[in-house]
Amino acid sequence: MKKAVYPGSFDPVTYGHLDVIRRSAALVDELIVGVLQNNHKNPLFSLEERVKILLEVTKDMNNVRIESFTGLSIDFARKCEAQFLVRGLRAITDFDYELQMAQTNRIMAREIDTIFLTTSLEYAYLSSSTVKEVAFYGGDISQFVPPSVAEAISRKIMAVQEANRVTCKSN
Ligand code: PNS
């Protein structure tokens, strides 16, 4: 059985990620999307929220499983008995970081290959960070993320703004 793990932060998932998920799922029997609990980053969405959002937007994809993980991607891939890691390449700017990560992973886990999918051209500019920035400044993100994700982002931003307002008031 061919299995691949697509690891990432997915804070939150965008149409670019979904494009990679759909296309890589077509190459294997099972695709496991691994949502990283990354203690070095300060995500907008909690791990549970990121997983929940992904479950919703991938519910029509029969061979896609959503899991969270901590630690190294290769250890997670081994636990899942996956032979491949999947990563998307948007532009040349991704290449250096991705190559370094893939080479390091290959040295640590000879049995696991990284498969790179070039992101479809219409999503080559897209990142979770830009989507969050556009949303924070009140821009329209409907072209970048599915409706349920856009709703989750606007609810989260309202909650963050409300929390900031309360903190400012009490200072
Ligand atoms: O979506 P992202 O934030 O670009 O994903 C980066 C991710 C999760 C793939 C990468 O940070 C990762 O694999 N982290 C887990 C720790 C690890 O395995 N590092 C690679 C060793 S070089």
Side-chain angles (χ1 to χ4, degrees):
M1 186 168 177
K2 281 200 174 69
K3 286 192 198 181
V5 160
Y6 177 22
S9 307
F10 305 104
D11 183 40
V13 62
T14 67
Y15 278 135
H17 294 125
L18 280 173
D19 172 54
V20 172
I21 292 173
R22 238 180 254 285
R23 286 163 55 213
S24 53
L27 301 175
V28 290
D29 298 301
E30 184 173 43
L31 176 75
I32 301 118
V33 179
V35 186
L36 178 68
Q37 161 97 67
N38 191 340
N39 296 329
H40 304 301
K41 284 192 180 174
N42 185 18
L44 179 64
F45 290 97
S46 69
L47 182 66
E48 294 71 27
E49 288 168 330
R50 284 178 278 147
V51 167
K52 196 172 158 214
I53 291 170
L54 268 159
L55 282 170
E56 169 62 28
V57 295
T58 59
K59 64 180 182 218
D60 63 328
M61 302 182 202
N62 294 332
N63 67 335
V64 175
R65 209 168 87 205
I66 311 297
E67 299 272 347
S68 61
F69 77 101
T70 54
L72 293 173
S73 289
I74 49 150
D75 288 338
F76 177 63
R78 278 177 173 147
K79 203 174 125 220
C80 296
E81 298 181 341
Q83 303 90 339
F84 309 105
L85 285 173
V86 171
R87 292 289 289 168
L89 278 179
R90 286 166 301 187
I92 193 78
T93 41
D94 282 341
F95 189 76
D96 198 28
Y97 168 67
E98 293 295 337
L99 186 67
Q100 197 178 358
M101 198 157 62
Q103 298 288 28
T104 312
N105 284 337
R106 184 102 171 96
I107 287 169
M108 294 190 291
R110 286 264 155 222
E111 75 283 14
I112 299 171
D113 263 313
T114 299
I115 299 176
F116 290 112
L117 290 186
T118 50
T119 310
S120 295
L121 215 48
E122 64 264 43
Y123 307 123
Y125 61 89
L126 193 51
S127 74
S128 299
S129 316
T130 0
V131 172
K132 285 181 279 189
E133 179 152 338
V134 172
F136 264 109
Y137 289 107
D140 177 13
I141 53 169
S142 60
Q143 291 186 74
F144 311 143
V145 293
S148 62
V149 182
E151 279 157 30
I153 294 175
S154 72
R155 274 198 306 273
K156 179 62 84 174
I157 288 175
M158 278 195 308
V160 169
Q161 284 167 345
E162 179 58 21
N164 287 345
R165 205 175 58 79
V166 171
T167 316
C168 290
K169 256 185 168 176
S170 62
N171 283 343

